[in-house]
Amino acid sequence: MSASVTRRGGADDRRWDGRARGMGTGMMFAGLRRWMGALGGKGRESGSNEVLDAEELSRWYSGLALEERLAISRELAPRVRAVRPAREPSTLPAVAVGRLVFEQDGPQGPIPMHHIKVELWDRDFGTPDDFLGEGFTDSDGCFSIRYDPADAGVNDLPDLEVRFFEPQHSFRPDGRVVEAWCRIGSEKGPDDHGGLHYDFGTLRLPYWEYDPTTPLARLLVTEEGTPPTAYAPGRALAMLKAVAPIELVKRRHLLQGRLGQAPSLDRIQADYPEAMTVRMERESPGSTRTDAFFGERLLNGMFSTLMDGDPEAPGDPEAFRLYFPWNAYEQDGVHCLPDVDVRLRLVEGRLLPVRIILGMREPGATAPGSPVTRRSYTPADGEAWEAAKRMARVSATLETELGNHLGQCHFNVEQYAIAAHRNLRRSPLRWLLMPHLREVVLINHSANGFLVGPTGYITRASALTERSVETRLLHLMGSYDWKGFAPAPPICESHRYARAAGLFWRLVGEHVDAFFAEHGAALEAQWSEVRRFSDDLVGHSAPAFVCRYLRATVPGRAAPWFVRSERMDLDAKVAATHAKAVSAVTRTDAPQPGEMEALKQLCRYVIYFATFRHAWANNLQWDDAGEVLYACLGLRWGKAGALSTEADHDVAPPPEEATEMLWISWMLSKTSYGFLLANEEADVHPRFVECLRAHAAEFSALGMDIRTVSSRINI
């Protein structure tokens, strides 16, 4: 593993800062005056050769940023004082020791923070601090830094402080890595320490902590706190550019509602940019409500998902089923959300719905498992069939938002992001995964109140209550595992989503294989970090969840209708006691046979969901959820029942929810920053970027502009 290292806040950049201050204030100011004079009298009017006096220079210098002070120190170094010969750390007379652990304990007590860079400094007031030495924590979180107290300056006893740094990286165009260090915390020690030994003791650092209040692997962010990371600067501009045109539209609608003058749904729709289905209806009325369009969007739209075979026709390769079991969850009694069982069939290369079975509760029923009446609809039922298709579209929209989008992409990837940030520092695995794990915890933190929670949009706009949203997400997260995953093959030639997924999956595999071939030895050498990464993943993942229906029909049985390639191993999870959803990669500090291939599979899985899968579910939201009457998160029990026509606005979302829905769909689809091919932060290996660019035409033929796929989840 070769890497070109750029230090951020490292010893080489700071050593002269301390020695310049050690020569005394007078000598330093004299040197500064000489230097300032040589620069033409910085601080005076342009063109003047006057120099600052000591008092003016002191005020000017104290107002500089740290990096500017360091630059002055480096400039003055060769002019004012000769550099003392460097000594080996083992010969330095003093030592500072300590142990760094996470803020929260694990089952066995404190959790050590391994391989964290630790710098020892002498604090000074009003002038730059003095760098004394550096080291790294070991596997148990312990550090030991030898230093020379004289580096604090003449007649100055050091005021000790340790500072902690995590690594960051970027790639050069030739694929070489450039490392940098980012400060993550510090701890003050004693003032005027005259001894030759100091023990900082056990230091707790609140760093990428798990939220103990949720069964999901979520990042802990206190009410007044901030996450331990930040968005790239360009992302804020992208958000402003996307949202500014529609923000005033939404605010006007909400204000009109508060004044008792709520606009109609038609007016709300017209005030937003024209969505795909609205445009299609304008050009060809009725085109988006056909059976063929319904099937096409289930294959290739935002709703694209796994297609099981029809269990009632297990030997028929052209019969398929989608099932959404909403009656298992508590509902609010205001919205109608039945169990939805859609049977579909391939007819001349097109996927068509042939039967829709709805398990309807009585209006107002809220308890999970409430009695239901099953009603079956076919194309022969006319308006009732159209209403059933609309109910199925709404059900698919809700399942997409909670499952394909929020659960399988956002929260699923977050659990890998937390474990990676807590454990990957020396392992080259960090260079492969971190570009795809940055920022996801930030957008998920926003979703805690914006989409879910007591006032979240999903809670307000759908039949699911806050508690049932949490339960559904727990069940979903309990069904996601990297082990054995592969995108299901297309069911027909027109299944563009599945074909694009297969192509992207293959290219990610080639990228991961090439990376492991290049860094395999270093990955093995730092396998202990992989083990800790794996331990955190498994230890904090949701309990494996297999519903009663699948337990009765799949584990231990042939079940040819059940597509296993995108699911966790149900047989293994059902057989294991207290099984976790995420499988372990390793349980040892050295790779065992097959574990390197398992790690490859995990990496491939994470990159796929953080990039392609999220892009497909997210970027098509304005196309498939940009028309209130076509698809929304919930239909209400209207005066004529929930299965009335689109003309009955008592069933549709009320004006406030309608304008919020359109605002959210536009914002999610149109806010884009951090593209894979743009590689704005240069943190993705250029080989992967060029590989995707080389296949852009193939993706375009399948309906995907590869330039719109982001390298990470940040919206």
Side-chain angles (χ1 to χ4, degrees):
M1 174 176 65
S2 60
S4 174
V5 178
T6 298
R7 295 178 180 271
R8 179 183 299 172
D12 295 343
D13 290 343
R14 296 173 174 138
R15 191 172 301 282
W16 248 110
D17 177 60
R19 291 182 179 153
R21 283 183 43 257
M23 63 188 165
T25 304
M27 288 185 64
M28 184 175 182
F29 285 158
L32 281 170
R33 286 197 296 271
R34 289 197 297 274
W35 180 62
M36 295 296 292
L39 293 180
K42 185 179 180 74
R44 296 291 189 183
E45 48 275 330
S46 177
S48 172
N49 287 323
E50 298 179 13
V51 297
L52 303 176
D53 59 33
E55 184 177 351
E56 291 175 309
L57 195 54
S58 176
R59 289 198 302 270
W60 172 76
Y61 183 79
S62 63
L64 295 178
L66 175 60
E67 292 301 322
E68 294 173 310
R69 298 183 193 178
L70 297 179
I72 292 174
S73 296
R74 289 193 294 270
E75 179 68 26
L76 287 175
R79 307 185 185 197
V80 198
R81 181 177 178 184
V83 180
R84 290 185 296 178
R87 286 193 281 173
E88 292 295 325
S90 59
T91 67
L92 296 177
V95 63
V97 300
R99 186 185 186 215
L100 193 60
V101 300
F102 287 94
E103 178 71 26
Q104 295 181 7
D105 289 345
Q108 282 76 47
I111 304 172
M113 295 185 67
H114 60 274
H115 303 161
I116 291 287
K117 183 181 177 183
V118 183
E119 293 185 354
L120 181 66
W121 285 77
D122 163 44
R123 302 185 314 275
D124 282 299
F125 181 75
T127 54
D129 298 338
D130 301 311
F131 175 82
L132 301 178
E134 67 180 8
F136 287 85
T137 60
D138 61 16
S139 61
D140 200 38
C142 297
F143 62 87
S144 177
I145 303 173
R146 290 193 171 274
Y147 68 100
D148 186 348
D151 283 340
V154 177
N155 299 322
D156 184 11
L157 294 176
D159 305 326
L160 297 181
E161 179 175 303
V162 281
R163 300 173 183 176
F164 314 120
F165 296 82
E166 66 176 3
Q168 295 182 344
H169 81 276
S170 61
F171 284 101
R172 290 179 176 174
D174 61 2
R176 287 192 297 165
V177 176
V178 178
E179 290 267 301
W181 295 99
C182 180
R183 182 170 165 178
I184 58 174
S186 62
E187 184 75 21
K188 291 182 180 180
D191 293 340
D192 297 326
H193 180 64
L196 298 181
H197 181 276
Y198 183 74
D199 187 351
F200 279 87
T202 298
L203 305 177
R204 292 183 177 271
L205 188 64
Y207 179 75
W208 289 91
E209 305 289 344
Y210 287 99
D211 187 345
T213 66
T214 171
L216 305 181
R218 301 296 310 281
L219 181 71
L220 174 64
V221 181
T222 58
E223 184 175 353
E224 300 300 326
T226 56
T229 184
Y231 288 116
R235 193 264 187 189
L237 297 178
M239 172 68 81
L240 180 62
K241 182 178 179 181
V243 173
I246 62 169
E247 179 66 21
L248 292 180
V249 172
K250 183 190 73 170
R251 292 187 183 187
R252 183 174 73 249
H253 292 162
L254 295 179
L255 179 59
Q256 288 173 323
R258 295 189 188 101
L259 295 175
Q261 303 170 0
S264 68
L265 294 186
D266 292 338
R267 178 70 265 164
I268 290 172
Q269 190 73 58
D271 285 346
Y272 281 91
E274 190 175 55
M276 181 188 72
T277 55
V278 175
R279 174 183 56 77
M280 291 179 63
E281 286 299 307
R282 174 174 54 79
E283 296 173 351
S284 179
S287 58
T288 65
R289 271 61 172 178
T290 65
D291 293 353
F293 190 76
F294 179 92
E296 200 282 331
R297 298 318 288 172
L298 288 180
L299 285 181
N300 300 313
M302 160 186 142
F303 316 116
S304 54
T305 188
L306 190 61
M307 287 283 176
D308 282 317
D310 188 339
E312 295 179 4
D316 189 345
E318 296 186 336
F320 299 92
R321 181 199 194 194
L322 285 177
Y323 182 57
F324 305 115
W326 299 116
N327 194 50
Y329 303 97
E330 179 184 68
Q331 299 185 17
D332 64 4
V334 175
H335 297 85
C336 175
L337 185 60
D339 286 341
V340 177
D341 188 348
V342 185
R343 306 300 171 96
L344 306 110
R345 189 167 190 83
L346 281 175
V347 179
E348 297 179 351
R350 298 188 304 175
L351 185 69
L352 301 177
V354 294
R355 185 159 57 110
I356 298 175
I357 304 107
L358 302 179
M360 302 285 288
R361 296 181 175 190
E362 291 299 315
T366 62
S370 292
V372 299
T373 302
R374 300 199 178 277
R375 303 172 185 172
S376 182
Y377 302 87
T378 70
D381 290 321
E383 285 189 356
W385 171 248
E386 296 302 320
K389 280 197 304 184
R390 184 188 186 193
M391 187 67 75
R393 277 199 305 270
V394 169
S395 184
T397 304
L398 181 59
E399 174 62 18
T400 296
E401 291 297 352
L402 277 179
N404 298 356
H405 187 204
L406 190 60
Q408 198 169 34
C409 293
H410 281 257
F411 290 170
N412 187 22
V413 172
E414 178 174 1
Q415 64 183 339
Y416 291 89
I418 299 173
H421 278 93
R422 286 170 64 91
N423 295 289
L424 300 181
R425 281 177 277 278
R426 288 184 180 172
S427 173
L429 198 62
R430 177 170 55 85
W431 303 336
L432 179 64
L433 290 183
M434 287 305 188
H436 310 293
L437 298 176
R438 62 183 301 172
E439 300 178 348
V440 65
V441 297
L442 298 171
I443 193 65
N444 290 358
H445 179 59
S446 299
N448 290 345
F450 176 61
L451 288 180
V452 297
T455 60
Y457 183 76
I458 294 176
T459 309
R460 290 183 289 112
S462 78
L464 299 180
T465 64
E466 177 188 8
R467 180 165 56 184
S468 56
V469 168
E470 292 174 351
T471 304
R472 179 61 177 167
L473 285 171
L474 180 62
H475 290 169
L476 289 167
M477 292 293 289
S479 67
Y480 302 144
D481 190 13
W482 59 267
K483 190 173 184 179
F485 177 90
I491 67 171
C492 60
E493 184 64 23
S494 62
H495 199 177
R496 293 180 290 102
Y497 161 73
R499 293 167 62 198
L503 173 59
F504 198 94
W505 180 256
R506 175 172 66 82
L507 298 180
V508 174
E510 293 174 1
H511 167 52
V512 172
D513 285 344
F515 188 90
F516 273 62
E518 183 179 1
H519 300 291
L523 283 164
E524 289 191 22
Q526 301 298 334
W527 195 257
S528 63
E529 290 196 346
V530 175
R531 180 185 64 79
R532 295 187 180 195
F533 170 64
S534 177
D535 288 348
D536 262 349
L537 272 174
V538 176
H540 293 88
S541 71
F545 175 74
V546 184
C547 70
R548 289 194 299 269
Y549 174 77
L550 291 181
R551 283 179 180 270
T553 57
V554 175
R557 297 167 178 81
W561 56 271
F562 185 75
V563 179
R564 298 176 184 267
S565 65
E566 294 194 20
R567 264 75 172 248
M568 66 183 184
D569 186 342
L570 298 191
D571 295 86
K573 300 301 182 182
V574 169
T577 303
H578 306 302
K580 291 285 193 163
V582 177
S583 297
V585 172
T586 182
R587 291 185 173 88
T588 62
D589 284 340
Q592 304 303 303
E595 290 184 345
M596 193 66 79
E597 289 301 316
L599 183 59
K600 284 185 184 180
Q601 166 71 9
L602 180 148
C603 294
R604 194 177 184 184
Y605 174 90
V606 169
I607 296 171
Y608 173 85
F609 277 98
T611 55
F612 173 86
R613 190 64 185 99
H614 178 259
W616 198 284
N618 183 80
N619 296 358
L620 292 175
Q621 295 208 50
W622 185 245
D623 286 350
D624 288 302
E627 182 186 354
V628 176
L629 298 181
Y630 174 79
C632 58
L633 295 185
L635 296 176
R636 295 177 291 171
W637 289 102
K639 297 175 182 177
L643 294 175
S644 58
T645 67
E646 290 184 13
D648 182 4
H649 288 186
D650 286 340
V651 172
E656 177 181 337
E657 291 175 8
T659 192
E660 286 186 87
M661 167 192 155
L662 297 179
W663 184 91
I664 292 170
S665 295
W666 176 272
M667 180 267 295
L668 294 177
S669 293
K670 305 302 180 180
T671 300
S672 299
Y673 181 80
F675 297 115
L676 261 174
L677 266 58
N679 200 11
E680 293 98 336
E681 275 70 54
D683 55 352
V684 179
H685 198 298
R687 177 177 55 227
F688 187 36
V689 174
E690 292 309 313
C691 176
L692 293 174
R693 184 175 285 117
H695 291 82
E698 295 174 64
F699 282 110
S700 180
L702 297 172
M704 167 168 272
D705 184 348
I706 196 65
R707 295 172 300 177
T708 65
V709 177
S710 295
S711 64
R712 70 272 196 178
I713 298 173
N714 61 6
I715 190 60

